[in-house]
Amino acid sequence: MNSAPVGIFDSGIGGLTVARAIYDRLPQESTIYFGDTARVPYGPKSPETVTRYSREILHWLLSQGVKAVVIACNTSTAHALDALQAESPVPVLGVIEPGARAAGKVTSGGPVGVIGTAGTIASNAYARAINRRRPDVRVEQRACPLFVPLVEEGWFEHPAAELIAAEYLAPLRAANVDALVLGCTHYRLLKPLLQRVMGPVVDLIDSAEETAIALEKTLRRQGLESPLGGASEHRFVVSDDEPRFRQVGSRFIGERLGKAEVVALG
Ligand code: DGL
């Protein structure tokens, strides 16, 4: 048993969708959420830059005494997971393996679609993870860089969002994918719209819940779970613009978002 907090980090606000899944599944666990709002977005940045930022956040979280770290950001998982796992004394989990596991379970033979930021799609990390489990399945990928600003703007059901989604997803519809992995923190909030564009028979896969399950298994396996029934605390830390984090973040997790501290890194 270990009641130290779990560190969760993202390039900004979107990782709160993963934090929410962790609160729901593991209510006894305390967390520290770090959103790198000063340097968001990670999607268009180089693997080297994203890895450098991610390492800085890992070391800050370690200095706060976390017992495990969840990389809630898909782009950071794609570029930096291996480096962070190699240098961390505590377990580090990403969101790509859990998402790929979910895709492998629901597809009836593919093709499977994957959407994400430019960096995540260029890394090919989802396709590799899916094909490790299901080498028989073809993976069709598409970068959707405009989805992040649309979500940040709160345009979940805006006609402009629908138009852009129809354009981005046309090749995936033409390929007849039977499942679509939402490979970016923000896309969960566009789920109803994306389901409409893709049609009702396509399974939309969101790695947040699977990541919470993976965290639960890791904590149990390593004897790191918090005692049941204990009070949990959630700390929020950002690298810039706390008011906007609170304003936009409340769309992601509602009233659970308390005031955030500001810590500058780098
Ligand atoms: N958190 C990022 C991801 O999941 C999306 C936002 C960004 O580009 O930084 O890939």
Side-chain angles (χ1 to χ4, degrees):
M1 291 288 171
N2 184 329
S3 52
V6 172
I8 305 168
F9 81 84
D10 181 41
S11 54
I13 290 164
L16 289 171
T17 55
V18 177
R20 185 169 71 181
I22 292 172
Y23 305 155
D24 290 346
R25 182 148 198 113
L26 301 168
Q28 72 280 17
E29 297 297 340
S30 292
T31 62
I32 304 178
Y33 180 92
F34 187 96
D36 198 4
T37 47
R39 303 187 288 196
V40 70
Y42 284 9
K45 296 198 168 80
S46 71
E48 294 72 27
T49 299
V50 172
T51 302
R52 177 159 52 83
Y53 292 171
S54 304
R55 292 179 68 219
E56 286 169 9
I57 300 170
L58 169 72
H59 288 283
W60 183 81
L61 287 169
L62 290 171
S63 77
Q64 304 300 301
V66 297
K67 64 182 173 187
V69 172
V70 175
I71 309 178
C73 176
N74 290 260
T75 311
S76 177
T77 302
H79 295 321
L81 178 67
D82 293 348
L84 268 51
Q85 283 179 332
E87 67 189 64
S88 172
V90 304
V92 179
L93 284 80
V95 282
I96 291 181
E97 277 300 324
R101 189 175 315 125
K105 275 191 223 157
V106 306
T107 180
S108 50
V112 168
V114 177
I115 52 176
T117 65
T120 299
I121 298 306
S123 78
N124 222 22
Y126 267 107
R128 271 185 278 124
I130 293 169
N131 284 146
R132 260 198 306 278
R133 288 159 198 285
R134 295 285 307 261
D136 55 312
V137 165
R138 198 171 90 233
V139 180
E140 295 284 338
Q141 307 188 77
R142 185 89 164 108
C144 303
L146 292 173
F147 282 171
V148 168
L150 287 171
V151 169
E152 297 255 337
E153 209 49 46
W155 286 15
F156 311 139
E157 286 294 339
H158 195 284
E162 185 126 16
L163 206 67
I164 290 167
E167 178 79 26
Y168 277 151
L169 301 180
L172 303 178
R173 292 184 57 196
N176 274 323
V177 299
D178 67 358
L180 178 66
V181 178
L182 309 184
C184 174
T185 47
H186 288 58
Y187 298 176
R188 184 191 177 100
L189 286 118
L190 294 170
K191 220 169 176 177
L193 184 146
L194 298 176
Q195 189 76 69
R196 250 191 345 266
V197 173
M198 291 306 292
V201 296
V202 177
D203 276 302
L204 297 193
I205 298 161
D206 160 10
S207 47
E209 270 91 33
E210 284 288 333
T211 303
I213 294 170
L215 174 64
E216 183 177 32
K217 285 188 187 149
T218 301
L219 295 180
R220 189 175 306 148
R221 210 173 33 239
Q222 309 219 6
L224 291 172
E225 293 161 294
S226 280
L228 273 174
S232 58
E233 270 175 41
H234 301 299
R235 242 177 102 192
F236 299 94
V237 183
V238 292
S239 48
D240 197 14
D241 204 355
E242 195 272 339
R244 180 165 161 80
F245 176 76
R246 233 171 333 125
Q247 184 210 335
V248 181
S250 59
R251 295 201 189 118
F252 287 76
I253 59 167
E255 74 290 349
R256 269 187 287 207
L257 183 57
K259 198 167 165 46
E261 301 153 52
V262 180
V263 171
L265 298 180

